Amino acid sequence: MAAMGRADANFLWGVFQRVDKDRSGVISDVELQQALSNGTWTPFNPATVRSIISMFDRENKGGVNFNEFTGVWKYVSDWQNVFRTYDRDNSGMIDKHELKQALTGFGNSFVVILIMYHNHLGLSAWFLPPTSGRFRILGGR
């Protein structure tokens, strides 16, 4: 958080307080799911939200405190920016041509590529190791 400016810290503290509905000082997966928007007015898949929490929950408490939340915020924002970069027609979806451009743009320098998509079942995340030709679905139904 040291690199974060004071205005950014104040803004994120306000966001954190609005998301932390029970005022516990820790945002749970349920609270985070209610706060996240995937652009279609449908909730994120609960397994995806739990996965995001687990990446930042350093104390295994089942949620994120404010310092950990700043990492969650950056992670989600970074992926939104990547998505917007490759959603060239601003449809809110990555079609097969945009996906091909994205994967080509990532090249072999990425060890793992994360693709999030939304369908009628909820948000799913795929981890794709580019050299293996295999993938596993995390948060899919």
Side-chain angles (χ1 to χ4, degrees):
M1 185 164 113
M4 189 184 330
R6 191 74 191 137
D8 291 337
N10 288 337
F11 170 76
L12 284 181
W13 178 246
V15 172
F16 181 85
Q17 289 181 309
R18 285 190 299 278
V19 175
D20 182 18
K21 298 287 187 198
D22 66 0
R23 301 289 183 235
S24 66
V26 174
I27 293 175
S28 69
D29 57 340
V30 172
E31 290 169 325
L32 185 60
Q33 182 185 22
Q34 291 172 350
L36 288 175
S37 170
N38 58 24
T40 62
W41 301 103
T42 55
F44 270 43
N45 183 306
T48 302
V49 176
R50 284 191 300 274
S51 176
I52 292 171
I53 292 272
S54 71
M55 286 189 289
F56 294 93
D57 178 11
R58 295 184 196 108
E59 300 160 353
N60 295 322
K61 61 192 159 305
V64 291
N65 61 30
F66 176 68
N67 287 332
E68 295 162 338
F69 175 72
T70 62
V72 170
W73 182 272
K74 181 174 178 354
Y75 176 81
V76 171
S77 296
D78 287 350
W79 277 110
Q80 285 175 332
N81 289 333
V82 168
F83 183 87
R84 287 183 190 120
T85 297
Y86 291 103
D87 180 20
R88 304 222 189 260
D89 61 1
N90 294 317
S91 66
M93 298 173 58
I94 300 288
D95 66 29
K96 65 182 180 180
H97 301 293
E98 292 165 334
L99 178 59
K100 182 179 178 183
Q101 289 176 339
L103 294 175
T104 302
F106 290 145
N108 289 328
S109 62
F110 271 61
V111 176
V112 176
I113 299 170
L114 170 68
I115 299 172
M116 289 186 174
Y117 75 96
H118 181 270
N119 61 23
H120 66 283
L121 298 176
L123 184 75
S124 296
W126 290 4
F127 288 89
L128 291 147
T131 56
S132 74
R134 298 174 181 240
F135 63 87
R136 73 181 172 120
I137 298 175
L138 174 67
R141 294 185 193 174

